[in-house]
Amino acid sequence: MTRKLLVEVAGVVCAPVEQVWTAVLGDAPDHPMRTERGDHTVAYQGGWWYRGEWSVTPHAEGSTLLHRVYCVAGPYWAVALANKGFAGFGRRTRRSFAEGLAGIGERLGCATRLVQR
């Protein structure tokens, strides 16, 4: 599969991996997408170019939640052209991730913070 990383964002959730993993699975997309699951990883692929991968790993403060978005259609230049060069996509993705991270923290009753990558 051809894929190009468009954006990567991460955060720390001050809760155990299993609790965060359960919360991540509860936030699944509400539209039809192909889903692939691994050990504390999940990928959602849909539309004609989108693939979002999520993973939860141990961190000294609890867990790290990592989200990566890939373009899986090619050629990339054509996808970028059709999507206006993905202008603002990274910013919107980071904002949405930050909101979701805060929501997980609220549901689990713990602190969260974004990590610069």
Side-chain angles (χ1 to χ4, degrees):
M1 163 185 15
T2 301
R3 62 188 205 169
K4 177 175 177 54
L5 180 64
L6 298 177
V7 64
E8 177 179 279
V9 62
V12 172
V13 182
C14 297
V17 168
E18 290 303 324
Q19 287 181 0
V20 177
W21 178 239
T22 299
V24 167
L25 292 179
D27 285 345
D30 60 357
H31 43 84
M33 296 192 132
R34 187 176 81 200
T35 304
E36 299 170 19
R37 272 188 167 174
D39 185 30
H40 296 118
T41 63
V42 63
Y44 301 106
Q45 191 163 320
W48 65 286
W49 66 268
Y50 176 87
R51 180 180 176 88
E53 297 180 352
W54 297 82
S55 64
V56 180
T57 56
H59 183 278
E61 297 173 47
S63 304
T64 298
L65 176 59
L66 176 66
H67 177 50
R68 292 182 174 129
V69 178
Y70 294 92
C71 173
V72 293
Y76 175 75
W77 65 266
V79 179
L81 182 64
N83 284 283
K84 298 180 174 88
F86 291 104
F89 181 77
R91 181 179 28 76
R92 289 189 308 274
T93 300
R94 286 179 184 85
R95 182 177 58 238
S96 177
F97 178 85
E99 291 168 0
L101 186 69
I104 287 172
E106 287 175 19
R107 286 195 307 277
L108 298 180
C110 65
T112 61
R113 65 179 172 81
L114 289 173
V115 175
Q116 296 299 319
R117 293 188 83 81

